[in-house]
DNA sequence: CCTATTTTTGTTAGCGTTAACAGAGACGCC
DNA sequence: GGCGTCTCTGTTAACGCTAACAAAAATAGG
């Protein structure tokens, strides 16, 4: 089908130059007379010429596309990251190809990466928050620019990550500062590095205060699991402060507490993580930790681009500090 | 950088055949001896050969990539749609390239589409919920397969859409059935077709019941704007039932009502739209309308693929019916 | 005004794949 | 056995672009 659009030679003919000159104009090569440049531009506009990315990718061995591998782009974190990544990439003239993956196991990730490689993407960003992803990445061809986000800190792979530990510590400390004797934790799935980091930070804050951390309650990021944990917490009179690994868990907890007639923040204080846009409208407005997804996206892309340009694949590492957002779900214990 | 991987000729040499035979094996051409096929496959595996999509795209004039243009992929609806689209596309062997757009105006959309076209995508899906998008699409080259999602029903462009009107009607009717004398509406931005459809459906249901629709209150999809509208609604004693254009608006409304001490559903019933995963954990659990994003994604892709294959660009139309999900935010008026 | 240098333009050769055609075997049938 | 007809495989030529080199034009310096 598709009547193919004009090619470079058509533009060249119309402008009365060689196709190479057109190529030069297109790529901003310096040695082109101004007058020629204008004539070429006019011809491009007149024909509605659009350069063929496939041809360019073929000859340069590299397309202006960045592949992103992510799991559940419906979750707020990944979705924000993806959007920010896409924006940043667009500014640099790159398109973003998503390869989402049902499970973050070895095979799925490798398959997604393979798909990207056969499209000759310029580089790959893997949002790989779980253990199994790390393994898949180790056996990747070494010559493809790669950055992982929220991945395994112990692997020698370029990594950009939100400082989960610091965020969790801040959240926990905030509760301790309010006067609570201890802080309970509803965690995310324990095979996610995000969860591990947040558990760590929470634990560190308690230990630093000379407290013995209570057992963390494992959730799965969903409000549903938060609700289940909340039902237990509500029955435990000694609980006065809860830090949840994300805002949706907090929502579930809030609802369970509400059902049991335990008032927030009067009886129990709650702090979340993520600062989803709705958090300010929970009942009560949720104190939470806001990771800067834009900063993460910018850092990742920068890291990737510098690899693409330089060709070196150093195992860099960059951490973005999150900020505590205080709202009304925290109060001193009675 | 990048030591280029093996090409088809390398595989051919190893297998002792011509590169064309390798191509045939790769594309599942029937006339290849079984023995040869196996030899070629072995060579492919041994070399870790990966076909070069750019070269293929160049010669066939078409890549295995589908471009998606969307605005705010952080919103639940678009994000779900994108994820579903990506899944479905992957099953068909297509990658998805996202071109998100800050504003849904003419220029931004055209620019995003241009970007996709210069990568020679096989087709484009535009999640174009606003008026201005429609215009941008009309002047697009006619020969590129295109599907719009939640776009302008009055334009001759292939369109897949959630039946907003039916959903809104169901929501409103549900409230009327519960015994309410009328239903107020907090709408989305009025330049979104989604909003218009939902306003329409709400109005239709009221008119069909012989009621005079009160003025809709315009929001912007956010909990913040829902909260502002809720503050007004809370002050109006005659209000007993509210239908909000999405769940986040509903969250804001719930919070405002709660602050004013107006109990939901005892005093005021609320119905949302979207069924975000958290809706079941709002206080109280939110009755809402659930659009089937998977179905929309499947329909869109099917429509796009049939255009790609057949080459015809019929102005098809497909509508996906949403379902009411009854929870506890609705009760009869006192 | 002529040569040495620089700037600007053109020419040629691929990049890795598919399409179109051509050639070589294998097979059946008279 | 010879000949047409399949089936299988190979050869050649694009696709649209950039890189590398070559040539022409402009500029400078004496």
């Amino acid at each position: 089908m598709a009547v193919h659009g004009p090619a470079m030679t058509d533009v060249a003919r119309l402008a009365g130059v060689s196709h190479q000159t057109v190529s030069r104009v297109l790529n901003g090569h310096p040695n082109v007379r101004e007058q020629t440049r204008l004539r070429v531009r006019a011809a491009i506009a007149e024909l509605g010429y659009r350069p063929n990315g496939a041809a360019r990718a073929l000859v340069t061995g590299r397309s202006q596309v960045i592949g992103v591998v992510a799991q559940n782009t419906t979750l707020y974190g990944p979705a924000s990251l993806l959007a920010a990544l896409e924006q940043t990439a667009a500014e640099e003239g790159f398109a973003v190809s998503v390869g989402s993956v049902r499970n973050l196991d070895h095979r799925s990730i490798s398959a997604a990466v393979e798909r990207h490689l056969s499209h000759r993407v310029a580089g790959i960003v893997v949002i790989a928050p779980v253990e199994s992803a790390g393994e898949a990445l180790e056996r990747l061809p070494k010559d493809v620019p790669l950055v992982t986000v929220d991945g395994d800190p112990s692997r020698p792979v370029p990594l950009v990550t939100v400082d989960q530990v610091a965020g969790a510590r801040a959240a926990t400390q905030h509760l301790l500062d309010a006067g609570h004797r201890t802080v309970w934790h509803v965690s995310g799935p324990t095979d996610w590095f995000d969860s591990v980091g947040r558990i760590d930070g929470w634990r560190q804050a308690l230990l630093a205060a000379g407290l013995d951390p209570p057992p963390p309650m494992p959730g799965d990021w969903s409000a549903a699991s938060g609700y289940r944990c909340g039902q237990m917490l509500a029955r435990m009179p000694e609980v006065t402060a809860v830090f949840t690994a994300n805002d949706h868990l907090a929502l579930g907890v809030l609802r369970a507490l509400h059902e049991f007639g335990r008032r927030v923040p009067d009886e129990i204080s709650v702090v979340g993580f993520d600062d989803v846009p709705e958090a300010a409208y929970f009942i009560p407005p949720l104190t939470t930790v806001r990771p800067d997804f834009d900063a993460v996206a910018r850092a990742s892309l920068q890291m990737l681009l510098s690899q693409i340009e330089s060709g070196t694949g150093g195992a860099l590492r960059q951490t973005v500090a999150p900020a505590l957002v205080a709202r009304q779900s925290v109060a001193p214990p009675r």
Side-chain angles (χ1 to χ4, degrees), chain A:
Chain A
M1 64 165 308
V3 181
H4 281 46
M8 209 175 248
T9 48
D10 300 314
V11 176
R13 199 175 317 118
L14 180 60
V17 297
S18 75
H19 71 275
Q20 181 61 274
T21 300
V22 178
S23 169
R24 280 192 265 258
V25 171
L26 242 41
N27 294 299
H29 194 94
N31 289 343
V32 176
R33 219 180 348 158
E34 192 54 28
Q35 186 190 337
T36 316
R37 191 185 305 279
L38 289 172
R39 237 171 341 137
V40 169
R41 282 210 200 296
I44 288 177
E46 181 174 341
L47 292 177
Y49 166 76
R50 215 177 284 115
N52 184 325
R56 175 179 284 171
L58 178 58
V59 70
T60 61
R62 176 132 297 149
S63 63
Q64 292 289 97
V65 176
I66 285 172
V68 175
V69 178
Q71 186 196 24
N72 188 346
T73 49
T74 306
L75 289 178
Y76 177 74
S80 307
L81 214 41
L82 184 61
L85 224 34
E86 204 282 327
Q87 284 293 343
T88 322
E91 284 163 19
E92 301 283 345
F94 282 84
V96 166
S97 174
V98 202
S100 76
V101 151
R102 250 181 235 291
N103 309 302
L104 277 171
D105 61 87
H106 220 264
R107 279 195 40 222
S108 314
I109 299 227
S110 300
V113 170
E114 288 287 306
R115 261 182 288 147
H116 279 143
L117 287 181
S118 77
H119 283 282
R120 295 297 188 274
V121 294
I124 296 186
V125 177
V126 180
I127 305 178
V130 308
E131 185 78 45
S132 52
E135 301 163 21
L137 295 177
E138 290 241 317
R139 65 183 62 177
L140 223 61
K142 291 290 175 231
D143 61 347
V144 50
L146 174 77
V147 171
T148 57
V149 175
D150 289 346
D152 188 342
S154 71
R155 276 178 204 276
V157 172
L159 174 67
V160 176
T161 181
V162 169
D163 192 341
Q164 315 288 358
V165 176
R169 219 166 24 201
T172 310
Q173 193 59 49
H174 182 66
L175 287 163
L176 294 177
D177 289 347
H180 293 276
R181 307 290 269 297
T182 192
V183 177
W184 288 70
H185 181 48
V186 177
S187 81
T190 46
D191 54 341
W192 285 54
F193 296 117
D194 308 49
S195 305
V196 174
R198 293 173 197 183
I199 292 173
D200 256 26
W202 160 74
R203 193 169 270 144
Q204 281 180 24
L206 291 181
L207 292 174
L211 300 169
D212 193 26
M217 312 180 77
D220 63 6
W221 298 132
S222 75
S225 72
Y227 179 69
R228 286 191 292 274
C229 294
Q231 286 180 314
M232 307 193 45
L233 291 165
R235 284 178 231 258
M236 312 196 301
E238 75 272 27
V239 173
T240 69
V242 181
F243 163 52
T244 64
N246 79 354
D247 290 352
H248 291 160
L249 288 168
L251 181 68
V253 168
L254 288 179
R255 185 154 144 51
L257 296 180
H258 181 262
E259 265 180 12
F260 276 76
R262 305 212 48 190
R263 301 180 59 80
V264 178
D266 310 340
E267 293 177 52
I268 300 190
S269 293
V270 178
V271 175
F273 206 114
D274 272 358
D275 196 25
V276 301
E278 292 73 53
Y281 298 92
F282 286 1
I283 299 175
L286 187 69
T287 292
T288 184
V289 177
R290 183 214 303 257
D292 187 343
F293 293 115
D294 279 342
V296 172
R298 254 179 284 118
S300 321
L301 208 78
Q302 212 170 29
M303 208 178 263
L304 197 65
L305 291 180
S306 84
Q307 279 185 62
I308 291 174
E309 276 157 28
S310 73
T312 57
L316 303 160
R317 192 133 312 203
Q318 204 157 331
T319 303
V320 175
L324 188 84
V325 180
R327 299 208 181 89
Q328 293 141 52
S329 63
V330 174
R334 287 186 304 184

